[in-house]
Amino acid sequence: METITMRQAKDFVGQEVYMNAWVTNKRSSGKIAFLQLRDGVAFFQGVVLKNDVSEEVFDLAKSLNQETSIKIRGIIQEDSRSNLGYELLVKDIQVIGESHDYPITPKEHGTDFLMDHRHLWLRSSKQHAIMQVRNEIIRATYEYMNQEGFIKVDPPILTGSAPEGTTELFHTKYFDEDAFLSQSGQLYMEAAAMAFGKVFSFGPTFRAEKSKTRRHLIEFWMMEPEMAFVEHEESLQIQEQYVAYIVRNVIDHCQLALKTLGRDTEQLEKYTKTPYPRISYTEAIELLNKNGFDDIKWGDDFGSPHETFIASQYEQPIFITNYPKDIKPFYMKLNPEDPSTVLCADMIAPEGYGEIIGGSERIVDYDLLAENIKKFGLSEDAYGWYMDLRKYGSVPHSGFGIGLERAVAWLTGIEHIRETSAFPRLLNRIYP
Ligand code: ATP
């Protein structure tokens, strides 16, 4: 007899199988016991009929504690009332591992308590659903990038220089030298783009951000494409096509997870339509000032209430383009139509989820880059290799970075980014 998971259930309807599972809950009345089970793949019900099993098995079913692991023999049945569509008619149960006093009970718990027990909290149906969506975004990302001819290049995590200055960097020692944990792989990806054309990286990045918001993690995953011979406008088109692609795949492949999370798929459908609206930084400032935001003027960066307001004027994600050069990093290309601004854009997600992508066209010219490196007070020695990219066949190129966890929070509709990572690193929390 085969041991299966719920992934295979549809091929085993009416057949007797073994399944390995954990008990999440149970209830019984007289002649019947219902076990709520999870096998890692799905949450489902096991039905134990008193007349159908031995007395020992029925008594055992009634006495199983939450999170006991069990091996079950039973028959897969269709069950139109369950989300999954299948249940298990139990014939026999064997305990694999006992469980006593599981700390997370079906009652409500506070966030701190749940975060302290993150290693166990992950077992809940909500966390399971969030990780399904995260996994789908990762899968669809690789699929899209491969289809579009990008190759994956992995930039280093230990770096000697930093793309955007050193304020938010994690410092460490590299033998006798100073080193930092990567806050972006971009500069290395620019080198890779000059070698391979269209490249992307997908890996962890670290920011020692002291801000405690529902959108910031200290360690998060970023996907960073970099494209040779691609100018700003084309880069925006690639960004919206890519985001629409991951939304489409999440809708199509995560139906159960979205249902568990109560996420309205009608709403998500709107985000599969491109192009996404664009508004320039300058227009955005005017819009804010006209609508009672007196706290911001041209030259200031947006705070999250600003981004939320601007995004709320639209039904889709939007691009805010052409920020002032003084509030953006040294490598961005000046906007030829207004050199007080740069050729960049942030993609702002709807529903208050804020910036999910930051991107720009990069400076091509050696002298302009050298000038900026000086102006920004960066070390010319550390950036020598990066300058080389402008010396030997420099070409127009653009790239962007999307934060995986921001995308997961947005598409799942959850309140706080901490639940998008299995073991989030937050300000004041590095345990468990
Ligand atoms: P913010 O202004 O929201 O802090 P940023 O301007 O520092 O973001 P970028 O440096 O452009 O962001 O990084 C690219 C993307 O990485 C962002 O659009 C976002 O999706 C993600 N990101 C940046 N910082 C964080 C963080 N601390 N936690 C999670 N994701 C982040």
Side-chain angles (χ1 to χ4, degrees), residues 1 26 59 71 73 75 123 154 224 242 273 324 327:
M1 200 186 315
K26 62 165 195 295
D59 289 344
K71 182 174 182 117
R73 181 167 54 79
I75 297 171
R123 301 179 183 194
D154 304 315
E224 294 183 276
Y242 159 67
K273 311 267 181 308
I327 56 169

Side-chain angles (χ1 to χ4, degrees), residues 164 168 183-184 205-209 211 213 215-224 301-302 304 307 328-329 331-332 345-347 353-359 400-407 417 420 425:
E164 303 182 17
E168 290 172 349
Q183 62 168 2
S184 161
T205 50
F206 306 85
R207 300 210 182 161
E209 318 222 39
S211 52
T213 80
R215 295 179 191 164
H216 288 92
L217 291 169
I218 302 304
E219 178 180 317
F220 64 97
W221 280 59
M222 188 149 59
M223 201 283 284
E224 294 183 276
D301 211 351
F302 299 123
S304 84
E307 285 177 355
K328 286 292 177 186
Y331 49 72
M332 292 189 181
D346 286 351
M347 186 189 288
Y353 285 94
E355 182 197 319
I356 49 169
I357 293 185
F400 62 94
I402 177 165
L404 172 63
E405 290 80 3
R406 292 253 180 109
I417 198 166
T420 63
R425 307 290 92 162

Side-chain angles (χ1 to χ4, degrees), residues 360-372:
S360 68
E361 186 169 340
R362 325 302 192 188
I363 291 179
V364 181
D365 184 77
Y366 184 92
D367 294 332
L368 286 178
L369 188 62
E371 199 182 302
N372 262 9

Side-chain angles (χ1 to χ4, degrees), residues 396-415:
H397 62 290
S398 304
F400 62 94
I402 177 165
L404 172 63
E405 290 80 3
R406 292 253 180 109
V408 176
W410 167 45
L411 296 183
T412 54
I414 60 169
E415 184 60 26

